[in-house]
Amino acid sequence: MPLNSEQVYYEDVHEGEEIPALRKACISQQLVMWAGASGDFYQIHYDPDFARGTGLDGIIVQGGLKNAFLGQLLHDWIAPAGFLRRFGCQYRGMDYPNQEILCRGVVTKKYEEAGQALIDLEIWTQNAAGKKTTPGTATVILPRR
Amino acid sequence: MPDSIVTAEMQAMIGREVDEGVAEVTTTSCRLFARAVGHTDPIFFDVEAALARGYRGLVAPPGYLGTPVNDRRQGPLVTIPRPVTDMRIPYKRILDGGTSYEYFEPVVAGDVVTSRSKITRFEERLGSIGPMLITYHETAYTRQDGTLVAKMYGNVIHY
């Protein structure tokens, strides 16, 4: 999905609506890039023998990278004027390289608090089989018209 | 359910803040992080674009809070907070269970962020992967001018 070209305003958002999805699929190279960028050098993410030695089927995508994908999903939706107040997820299921990771979000609540226009969302990544591997939640601040 | 592995020493760690040190948010590390994720917004790559959008500097992408200044005293090269890696636990394997970020201010290159972490609670469970210990932790990030810019909440699974 390209970066949102038009600003989303608070008034335009409805509870229950889905935000534009973000499609990812990591090759092993991206996992190594993430290791370097994040400082997480745990070998289960780039050394297949090490990963299998811990009982995994092979190297797995970092939970933090999937969380950062969800950060991009939200950022691209609210840019340029929105503010990402809170986001996160639970790392419930493994994702593997070369498999689709689809990042999605649904608006669960819109409300005003302390003069700010807030949107709560349910966010998640799902694998090619449609299973939610990282369920989470987020809150963003949107501009008003 | 086997006997609890949470010792009195571990219980005593709950709520005790540990200094994680200082992290510098730099233009290069912001770009590296943005590129690793696949960001396309120029505010993560181009300082002028970030300034033009009203930010104080190149913007740190969501989930990025600085490059830890590594030294010889640093333990394992993982992003798990120090109070958790400091624990002695009989389980050999470890997984990151989840992360959540709360932002109070945009974080930009040039910020120097001090982080302090604490364990907030333990939970023991018998899961599909066997007995496991879930350690919930919290980190507060404070900028050089004293402003609290973000908090991170997470949990680590030992099994």
Side-chain angles (χ1 to χ4, degrees):
Chain A
M1 185 199 72
L3 183 65
N4 197 14
S5 54
E6 277 181 41
Q7 180 65 50
V8 173
Y9 292 93
Y10 179 72
E11 290 82 359
D12 305 334
V13 175
H14 304 285
E15 290 175 7
E17 90 173 61
E18 181 168 0
I19 67 172
L22 178 68
R23 198 175 297 272
K24 297 282 186 179
C26 310
I27 58 174
S28 59
Q29 189 180 52
Q30 187 166 12
L31 306 191
V32 174
M33 287 169 71
W34 171 261
S38 69
D40 180 352
F41 293 98
Y42 193 23
Q43 298 95 317
I44 60 170
H45 303 300
Y46 55 84
D47 182 337
D49 290 337
F50 185 96
R52 282 190 286 270
T54 70
L56 296 168
D57 293 334
I59 61 170
I60 59 169
V61 178
Q62 293 95 339
L65 177 55
K66 292 189 277 182
N67 197 33
F69 286 160
L70 292 171
Q72 183 185 359
L73 168 83
L74 295 159
H75 174 84
D76 287 355
W77 182 55
I78 66 175
F83 182 71
L84 181 51
R85 178 78 176 74
R86 187 183 63 81
F87 79 103
C89 63
Q90 296 295 311
Y91 309 137
R92 290 270 172 76
M94 315 276 182
D95 282 282
Y96 300 89
N98 308 313
Q99 295 182 4
E100 181 182 85
I101 297 172
L102 188 63
C103 310
R104 299 176 65 186
V106 168
V107 174
T108 53
K109 190 181 172 190
K110 61 180 287 189
Y111 54 104
E112 298 186 36
E113 199 176 272
Q116 290 177 325
L118 301 168
I119 304 287
D120 286 348
L121 300 103
E122 188 189 327
I123 53 172
W124 71 92
T125 68
Q126 65 185 52
N127 62 21
K131 186 188 171 215
K132 292 184 184 184
T133 54
T134 59
T137 57
T139 301
V140 300
I141 302 172
L142 285 182
R144 292 189 186 84
R145 278 197 184 278
Chain B
M1 192 73 208
D3 292 340
S4 174
I5 62 149
V6 179
T7 61
E9 194 187 343
M10 284 162 65
Q11 285 289 358
M13 288 176 77
I14 293 176
R16 194 191 297 162
E17 284 203 327
V18 175
D19 207 331
E20 295 268 12
V22 176
E24 294 156 349
V25 182
T26 65
T27 50
T28 301
S29 58
C30 284
R31 291 188 188 106
L32 275 173
F33 192 99
R35 195 169 67 152
V37 176
H39 275 287
T40 56
D41 193 333
I43 62 167
F44 302 125
F45 299 97
D46 178 352
V47 177
E48 293 306 318
L51 295 175
R53 291 251 295 268
Y55 291 97
R56 292 175 291 117
L58 193 75
V59 181
Y64 180 72
L65 285 159
T67 310
V69 177
N70 300 313
D71 62 34
R72 287 170 181 279
R73 290 167 298 171
Q74 199 189 17
L77 288 174
V78 295
T79 49
I80 292 165
R82 187 167 281 168
V84 182
T85 55
D86 280 353
M87 295 189 302
R88 293 212 185 103
I89 298 170
Y91 301 142
K92 284 201 174 104
R93 295 165 182 168
I94 188 165
L95 283 174
D96 194 351
T99 317
S100 177
Y101 292 98
E102 188 178 11
Y103 288 98
F104 307 105
E105 290 280 330
V107 177
V108 301
D111 287 354
V112 179
V113 176
T114 300
S115 48
R116 292 181 67 77
S117 297
K118 62 186 176 190
I119 290 167
T120 51
R121 71 186 169 95
F122 295 110
E123 190 183 322
E124 287 178 278
R125 229 193 266 167
L126 192 56
S128 56
I129 47 177
M132 53 189 191
L133 171 72
I134 308 172
T135 304
Y136 292 87
H137 56 83
E138 188 182 308
T139 303
Y141 299 89
T142 309
R143 204 167 58 197
Q144 67 268 38
D145 66 359
T147 307
L148 177 70
V149 290
K151 279 186 157 191
M152 177 183 76
Y153 307 88
N155 68 86
V156 173
I157 301 164
H158 289 89
Y159 67 105

